[in-house]
Amino acid sequence: MTDSDQDRDEATILLVDDNPQNLKVLYETLKDRGYRLLIANEGEKALNLAERHQPEVILLDIMMPGMDGYEVCRHLKASSATADSAVVFLSALDDVDAKVKGFGLGGADYIAKPFQAQEVIARVTTHARVIQLERQLQARNRQLEGDQTRILNAINEGIYGLDPDGNIVFANPAAATMAATTADDLVGRNFFRLHFPEPAPGDPPLPAQSTCRQGVAEHQRNLKMRRPNGETFAVEYRATPKPEGTDRFGAVVVFRDISVELENEQALEEARALVEEQRDQLAHASRLSTMGEMAAGFAHEVNQPLTAISNYVRVALRLMASEDIDRALAEQTLQKIEAQSHRASEVIRRLRRFVKKPASGKEIIQLSGLLEETRRFAEVDSRVNQVEVLLAVDDDVPDVLADPIQVQQVALNLIRNAMESTRSAASSEPVRVLANRTESGFVRVEVKDHGLGLPDDAEERLFLPFFTTKEEGMGIGLALCRTLMQAQGGEIGFERPDDGGALFWFSLPLADGE
């Protein structure tokens, strides 16, 4: 690392993902946080950038073609230039085995997809700060060995210097403050016996024990440390080996009290849960509102088969009253009654399925079937607006992972908007609904109308709450659609086709996690 690199204040963050959309989300999340951001879309490029720039934090996707994230991490940790970079794995895989494998290769942390901006910012801030601190300490220890005490005393994080047996040879004031004692009282005591209970046979090594004895760097968050007075407090710590001779190690342990941070994270998680609950309630209310708007049409849809059933029943009664019953005609009449009852039942089934409040959670969806059901559901509005809806789904469209009710709600909203827009332009062209697989690993659904098009300032305002181009609209439809799509791990947007009208689209992640 050059002197200019060492002296800079900004941390370097390397973003590695083969999905351009994920890179865009990460870049937009971190671009104004004071970091120097580097981007790589495959493993070889990531290794080259890391070797040249030695970033503090590497956000590394696991599932990549060619060299996957695990292999990239293995190379990073094998190089002296990048071994101390904090590798934070990114993946939709959320199982224990995937995490254990990543930590076993030297990973520092794990963020599950879809990303939460607050989580990404908090973890990057933490890791970047700790890595910068470690590098500053290592550089200054080489350059200013005589001023070590003065430098360490100025740091807010607690710092211990340990010998190979775990005895404390140095403790800065911050460490003494967190331990609720003095630095003189800490020096000479054993770190393991002072801060942790005696392990039982077969238990894993105590924190920093492998660092002291085997030279293995460690990092752990939400670890309970014990004070000399018996109280415990939550910390995040990093243990870095300090070679002594050729085969002896000690450790520099950097730790900080994160008790308040954990409380804030808990409050944030509770707030996030509340937002999710309110979003579901708003979505349910929106579906009920939609049904209110379509109620007259559905009453007509149900009334038609009921009227037919009533007529066929009268025919059946007349047949039963005759002395010579025409059994063939009676059978045909009963079959028609059954068919009409199924027709009415199907309308009611679709209605009940759409307005019910679904259980939270996603499932694997066969998209062509869901969109066809949505098209049939929109037939009432189609007849009212005198606008046909045509559906085309590519044969190679795979299943997606999403909430079917919420996806159908978004699709129906866009289809109804398209029909109203087409009717307002006095066009007889049909609304077209297309679905295809994208190169970025999503399924994209498009709804194209033949209306008057979108206003010039649509980019800034269209998806904002309470903005509407309809005289009687409330302006929550598209804003809610965007919220629902983000909850599915997808996106929503629009385009202006060359032949006029408007094209709205939304994307959904594949069920197989590609």
Side-chain angles (χ1 to χ4, degrees), residues 403-418:
D403 184 319
I405 299 300
Q406 293 185 358
V407 172
Q408 190 175 63
Q409 183 171 357
V410 172
L412 182 61
N413 188 297
L414 297 183
I415 291 172
R416 295 185 70 222
N417 286 349

Side-chain angles (χ1 to χ4, degrees), residues 482-494:
R482 181 173 64 174
T483 300
L484 294 179
M485 279 299 100
Q486 290 173 342
Q488 310 308 315
E491 289 193 345
I492 188 170
F494 67 90

Side-chain angles (χ1 to χ4, degrees), residues 47-118:
L47 292 175
N48 291 333
L49 287 174
E51 192 75 16
R52 290 203 309 269
H53 300 281
Q54 299 167 2
E56 281 81 357
V57 180
I58 301 173
L59 299 183
L60 178 60
D61 184 32
I62 292 179
M63 304 298 291
M64 295 189 297
M67 184 183 297
D68 66 11
Y70 294 132
E71 185 65 20
V72 173
C73 182
R74 188 177 292 109
H75 284 284
L76 290 170
K77 293 305 175 181
S79 170
S80 59
T82 56
D84 66 339
S85 296
V87 176
V88 180
F89 284 110
L90 308 170
S91 179
L93 301 174
D94 200 21
D95 62 273
V96 174
D97 291 339
K99 293 182 179 179
V100 170
K101 182 176 181 180
F103 291 137
L105 293 172
D109 209 340
Y110 189 99
I111 299 177
K113 297 179 183 179
F115 310 125
Q116 298 294 328
Q118 298 93 333

Side-chain angles (χ1 to χ4, degrees), residues 34-313:
Y35 300 127
R36 180 190 182 202
L37 299 178
L38 305 174
I39 292 176
N41 58 6
E42 51 90 24
E44 290 291 346
K45 183 177 180 181
L47 292 175
N48 291 333
L49 287 174
E51 192 75 16
R52 290 203 309 269
H53 300 281
Q54 299 167 2
E56 281 81 357
V57 180
I58 301 173
L59 299 183
L60 178 60
D61 184 32
I62 292 179
M63 304 298 291
M64 295 189 297
M67 184 183 297
D68 66 11
Y70 294 132
E71 185 65 20
V72 173
C73 182
R74 188 177 292 109
H75 284 284
L76 290 170
K77 293 305 175 181
S79 170
S80 59
T82 56
D84 66 339
S85 296
V87 176
V88 180
F89 284 110
L90 308 170
S91 179
L93 301 174
D94 200 21
D95 62 273
V96 174
D97 291 339
K99 293 182 179 179
V100 170
K101 182 176 181 180
F103 291 137
L105 293 172
D109 209 340
Y110 189 99
I111 299 177
K113 297 179 183 179
F115 310 125
Q116 298 294 328
Q118 298 93 333
E119 180 184 11
V120 172
I121 292 170
R123 294 183 185 270
V124 168
T125 300
T126 297
H127 291 300
R129 183 181 183 191
V130 173
I131 292 298
Q132 284 184 314
L133 176 61
E134 288 181 350
R135 291 179 176 179
Q136 291 171 10
L137 287 177
Q138 293 169 3
R140 292 188 183 187
N141 280 339
R142 289 192 299 266
Q143 300 170 15
L144 305 169
E145 190 69 28
D147 296 330
Q148 182 185 53
T149 301
R150 177 182 59 82
I151 297 171
L152 297 179
N153 287 351
I155 297 174
N156 292 328
E157 281 79 2
I159 299 176
Y160 282 138
L162 308 180
D163 67 15
D165 295 322
N167 298 313
I168 300 172
V169 297
F170 172 83
N172 72 337
T177 299
M178 280 184 267
T181 184
T182 64
D184 290 340
D185 181 57
L186 292 171
V187 173
R189 303 179 72 169
N190 187 271
F191 172 77
F192 309 123
R193 290 194 292 270
L194 174 65
H195 288 301
F196 305 102
E198 185 71 22
D203 283 353
L206 292 173
Q209 199 168 59
S210 297
T211 306
C212 289
R213 299 177 181 177
Q214 303 170 22
V216 179
E218 297 181 17
H219 169 257
Q220 190 170 338
R221 190 172 186 272
N222 197 10
L223 173 75
K224 293 293 185 181
M225 286 181 64
R226 182 177 60 191
R227 296 188 173 100
N229 62 10
E231 296 176 349
T232 60
F233 61 107
V235 300
E236 178 176 16
Y237 87 95
R238 283 181 179 271
T240 304
K242 182 179 180 181
E244 294 183 4
T246 57
D247 56 358
R248 287 175 57 80
F249 298 91
V252 174
V253 179
V254 181
F255 64 99
R256 63 189 184 93
D257 189 335
I258 60 170
S259 302
V260 175
E261 184 176 312
L262 292 177
E263 292 175 1
N264 292 339
E265 289 179 358
Q266 178 63 29
L268 179 62
E269 187 61 34
E270 292 174 357
R272 184 181 296 114
L274 179 59
V275 170
E276 291 288 327
E277 180 181 353
Q278 291 175 341
R279 186 204 69 208
D280 290 342
Q281 291 175 351
L282 178 60
H284 188 222
S286 177
R287 290 196 297 276
L288 293 176
S289 176
T290 300
M291 288 303 97
E293 297 171 4
M294 302 171 69
F298 276 108
H300 178 71
E301 287 289 299
V302 175
N303 189 57
Q304 279 188 330
L306 291 180
T307 300
I309 290 173
S310 177
N311 292 334
Y312 289 133
V313 167

Side-chain angles (χ1 to χ4, degrees), residues 52 282 343 362 403 466 495:
R52 290 203 309 269
L282 178 60
R343 177 183 170 190
K362 302 174 183 179
D403 184 319
F466 310 116
E495 299 173 2

